[in-house]
Amino acid sequence: MSYVNPKGEFDRDTDYITTRITRDGRDGYPVEPGRYRLVVARACPWANRAIIVRRLLGLEDAFSIGFCGPTHDERSWTFDLDPGGVDPVLKIPRLQDAYFRRDPDYPKGITVPAFVDVPTGAVVTNDFAQMTLDMSTEWTEFHRDGAPQLYPEEHRDEIDEVAKRIYTEVNNGVYRCGFAGSQGAYDKAYDRLFTALDWLSERLSDRRYLGGDTITEADVRLFTTLARFDPVYHGHFKCNRSKLAEMPVLWAYARDLFQTPGFGDTTDFEQIKHHYYEVHTDINPTGVVPKGPDLSNWLTSHGREALGGRPFGDGTPPGPTREGERVPEGHGAG
């Protein structure tokens, strides 16, 4: 849950369930193929990260994935995309059922992504930032052949530093604009957001990716916000100094990633728009979902190959998206 403080500023609740799934099982949940289910919603940028990392690392056989629908009510995300509105593995209609299985008095927001322990039906963790790092570091035994190094040990300090700024100023910055409860709070949030986007444009002007020549965790974290920028944040959240398509470096960078297996093929623009415009009734009380923008430009040439680099380093691209996990026809670009 999040709220607007007395100054009209958006505050995100960051008190997550921090239990971890680790190789040594020190929190009671050891890495074990087939034991856990990753519950996501394609609409959510935090969950989209987990979908991307799972696919890039080839962890499809290590843990299953369940997709909630794009909208939710005040109680919970729901499995309305599944037959009968029930998750086929967990046998529950609402994600909150798994949270309450862990803690019957769970007082916080029911968020995605979440790892659920299938044998008990209880949520293990919803600590989205740690979850993707653990996919890179704790699940290595189950990575596909050719999996990229998204969190290489020698670059972790730099990745962490960049990722922290992306989170506070960009990932969360757009929400700070959208949910500002006063003009002063909005103006301050707007300036912070575009200061950070200008910094990122400068950083990416002479390097293909945030960490240099290969894709890392930092790129995944930035991409999911950039993908939502023009369809949602520019208008709905009033982040309207300029569209992503009007920021040349970031626009080329975002298209480069979008056209890389694992990124664009996990992005569902229809669900993204329906989520934001229908759920945020305080911002958009009519619930009307805009028809635009035209998304075919995501597939246009980006020219970033001129900077060199190898997207997957010494690794290889992931194969085709699994049956049952593909973005529905007509929900992507083009």
Side-chain angles (χ1 to χ4, degrees), residues 140-174:
T140 50
E141 185 182 344
F142 302 100
H143 288 182
R144 66 178 174 87
D145 291 339
Q149 295 287 320
L150 298 179
Y151 196 48
E153 204 155 351
E154 65 273 20
H155 297 302
R156 283 181 192 173
D157 288 347
E158 182 183 16
I159 292 170
D160 289 346
E161 184 181 340
V162 172
K164 182 178 179 182
R165 187 166 182 183
I166 288 170
Y167 171 73
T168 59
E169 304 304 300
V170 181
N171 301 148
N172 205 39
V174 292

Side-chain angles (χ1 to χ4, degrees), residues 15 17 52 55 66 68 144 155 162-163 183 188 197 219 226 232 235 267 271 296 321 326:
D15 187 12
I17 301 172
I52 292 170
R55 175 151 157 62
C68 296
R144 66 178 174 87
H155 297 302
V162 172
Q183 189 68 49
K188 181 179 171 186
L197 290 174
D219 298 293
L226 296 184
V232 176
T267 303
Q271 288 198 24
S296 60
T321 308
R326 295 179 191 140

Side-chain angles (χ1 to χ4, degrees), residues 115-313:
F115 265 123
V116 179
D117 181 39
V118 175
T120 63
V123 164
V124 178
T125 180
N126 64 340
D127 188 357
F128 64 87
Q130 189 61 49
M131 285 164 66
T132 49
L133 298 181
D134 284 345
M135 287 184 205
S136 279
T137 58
E138 301 292 333
W139 289 85
T140 50
E141 185 182 344
F142 302 100
H143 288 182
R144 66 178 174 87
D145 291 339
Q149 295 287 320
L150 298 179
Y151 196 48
E153 204 155 351
E154 65 273 20
H155 297 302
R156 283 181 192 173
D157 288 347
E158 182 183 16
I159 292 170
D160 289 346
E161 184 181 340
V162 172
K164 182 178 179 182
R165 187 166 182 183
I166 288 170
Y167 171 73
T168 59
E169 304 304 300
V170 181
N171 301 148
N172 205 39
V174 292
Y175 284 85
R176 205 181 288 115
C177 289
F179 288 102
S182 71
Q183 189 68 49
Y186 166 73
D187 290 348
K188 181 179 171 186
Y190 175 101
D191 290 343
R192 279 181 66 176
L193 170 64
F194 283 100
T195 294
L197 290 174
D198 288 344
W199 171 74
L200 287 163
S201 289
E202 188 176 340
R203 182 180 180 90
L204 288 163
S205 62
D206 60 356
R207 64 176 83 192
R208 191 163 175 189
Y209 304 107
L210 287 167
D213 289 339
T214 63
I215 291 167
T216 65
E217 173 82 20
D219 298 293
V220 176
R221 295 187 179 199
L222 179 57
F223 172 79
T224 59
T225 294
L226 296 184
R228 287 156 177 76
F229 203 89
D230 287 2
V232 176
Y233 302 146
H234 179 269
H236 185 57
F237 278 178
K238 307 181 185 74
C239 302
N240 63 350
R241 186 194 75 179
S242 44
K243 295 176 182 175
L244 175 65
E246 295 165 347
M247 295 183 266
V249 172
L250 287 178
W251 176 223
Y253 164 81
R255 278 177 292 154
D256 187 5
L257 289 175
F258 186 88
Q259 294 168 33
T260 300
F263 289 86
D265 55 27
T266 63
T267 303
D268 188 320
F269 288 115
E270 278 302 300
Q271 288 198 24
I272 287 167
K273 289 199 298 183
H274 280 277
H275 170 71
Y276 284 92
Y277 286 102
E278 291 181 19
V279 170
H280 299 156
T281 53
D282 47 346
I283 300 177
N284 186 40
T286 63
V288 172
V289 179
K291 291 183 73 171
D294 176 14
L295 300 166
S296 60
N297 54 4
W298 278 96
L299 301 176
T300 58
S301 175
H302 52 77
R304 297 280 291 178
E305 305 95 333
L307 293 172
R310 297 172 300 151
F312 299 100

Side-chain angles (χ1 to χ4, degrees), residues 10-80:
F10 172 77
D11 285 332
R12 181 176 296 280
D13 180 359
T14 55
D15 187 12
Y16 298 103
I17 301 172
T18 56
T19 307
R20 290 173 61 191
I21 299 169
T22 56
R23 196 180 287 108
D24 62 10
R26 58 186 176 273
D27 288 353
Y29 294 97
V31 165
E32 188 179 315
R35 176 171 172 176
Y36 306 100
R37 186 161 177 80
L38 176 65
V39 178
V40 297
R42 293 191 190 277
C44 169
W46 322 102
N48 198 174
R49 296 177 180 185
I51 300 169
I52 292 170
V53 171
R54 174 178 176 269
R55 175 151 157 62
L56 293 180
L57 297 178
L59 288 167
E60 290 93 340
D61 291 330
F63 47 83
S64 63
I65 194 167
F67 294 96
C68 296
T71 61
H72 59 75
D73 57 25
E74 69 282 352
R75 288 167 60 197
S76 176
W77 290 90
T78 54
F79 293 100
D80 47 301

Side-chain angles (χ1 to χ4, degrees), residues 78-99:
T78 54
F79 293 100
D80 47 301
L81 300 177
D82 291 307
V86 173
D87 181 86
V89 172
L90 301 174
K91 310 297 184 188
I92 55 175
R94 291 175 168 275
L95 181 55
Q96 73 173 13
D97 297 335
Y99 278 80

